[in-house]
Amino acid sequence: MSSLLLNRTEFGDPANEDKVPTKAEAVELLNDWVKSESLKRHMRQVGALMKAWAHEKENLPPEEQLKWELAGLLHDADWDQWPDQHCRKIIEELERRQVAPSILRAIASHGPSHFGVEPESSMDKMLYAFDELSGFIHAYSLMRPTGYEGMQPKGVKKRLKDKSFAAQVSREDITDASQRAEVDLTERITFIIQHQAEVQ
């Protein structure tokens, strides 16, 4: 994974912190860059989780909620077509568009063991905390006859212990993200179940 290292910790121009794309502009970029429908859904789900957390847990104003949402919505935008440039290509594109540095940094730090950027802000930490776990819970929903309906955290935790289920999901990253975000795993699982079920 060392080839994905970004080898820098500063992103964008601080003078652009108030420059935030509209959601429509972000969705246009997502649809242009991402062809996989399952990956699009994952990014929409993480975007929805980020917005909901910023609103309900962080009590942030709408303009800050949008930053959180866009970080989630675009964090994997380059994975589909350019996996060997993952994170680097989307960050460079957003820098070219003069997007707020806080959004860029959250994207850059959503996998510290891969990209070499440590999550620092609450937005950084929660994007990292939601990313892998969101995908894991969606995978779990697909194997349940009732999908998200009736899903309980204990069922998710049981599957997390089964290393053969959704084996591509890093349990190490989930554990590391929990510690960094200082959010109880059960609380995070419950929040995800409640907020991403309706996101398609």
Side-chain angles (χ1 to χ4, degrees):
M1 283 295 184
S2 60
S3 63
L4 296 179
L5 289 174
L6 295 174
N7 296 316
R8 58 182 176 128
T9 57
E10 300 296 325
F11 305 92
D13 184 344
N16 293 331
E17 187 55 39
D18 292 332
K19 294 183 179 179
V20 181
T22 64
K23 183 176 178 180
E25 289 170 336
V27 169
E28 183 179 9
L29 174 58
L30 182 153
N31 288 331
D32 185 36
W33 280 30
V34 182
K35 306 308 176 186
S36 164
E37 291 301 323
S38 61
L39 181 56
K40 286 181 184 179
R41 182 180 56 243
H42 167 67
M43 293 162 68
R44 287 192 294 266
Q45 287 178 330
V46 175
L49 291 170
M50 290 289 284
K51 180 180 180 181
W53 188 272
H55 173 59
E56 297 176 24
K57 302 293 187 178
E58 304 283 339
N59 298 309
L60 295 174
E63 59 269 21
E64 291 298 316
Q65 293 175 34
L66 178 59
K67 291 180 182 179
W68 283 57
E69 182 178 18
L70 297 188
L73 197 58
L74 295 174
H75 75 284
D76 280 344
D78 52 14
W79 174 251
D80 194 13
Q81 297 192 69
W82 306 280
D84 59 332
Q85 299 181 60
H86 182 33
C87 230
R88 184 184 307 276
K89 191 168 183 68
I90 183 58
I91 287 171
E92 290 176 351
E93 174 64 19
L94 295 178
E95 284 181 322
R96 187 183 67 79
R97 298 184 183 209
Q98 299 183 323
V99 170
S102 61
I103 296 174
L104 307 183
R105 199 178 198 294
I107 292 173
S109 63
H110 82 268
S113 65
H114 307 296
F115 311 121
V117 182
E118 296 296 309
E120 294 178 351
S121 71
S122 295
M123 178 162 50
D124 297 350
K125 292 174 182 177
M126 290 313 301
L127 179 55
Y128 181 35
F130 280 136
D131 184 26
E132 291 284 294
L133 192 55
S134 167
F136 183 88
I137 289 173
H138 187 73
Y140 180 43
S141 79
L142 296 178
M143 65 160 289
R144 301 181 75 251
T146 57
Y148 284 92
E149 185 179 347
M151 186 186 291
Q152 298 294 324
K154 65 181 179 182
V156 176
K157 288 182 174 180
K158 182 178 180 180
R159 288 292 172 179
L160 278 170
K161 293 177 182 177
D162 178 3
K163 298 299 173 61
S164 65
F165 177 75
Q168 76 280 9
V169 175
S170 171
R171 273 63 168 177
E172 292 76 16
D173 280 356
I174 289 175
T175 299
D176 182 49
S178 294
Q179 294 170 346
R180 291 172 185 262
E182 298 182 335
V183 178
D184 176 72
L185 180 60
T186 300
E187 178 186 356
R188 199 155 33 108
I189 291 172
T190 301
F191 190 88
I192 292 172
I193 293 171
Q194 290 172 343
H195 289 83
Q196 81 174 19
E198 303 304 318
V199 181
Q200 296 299 323

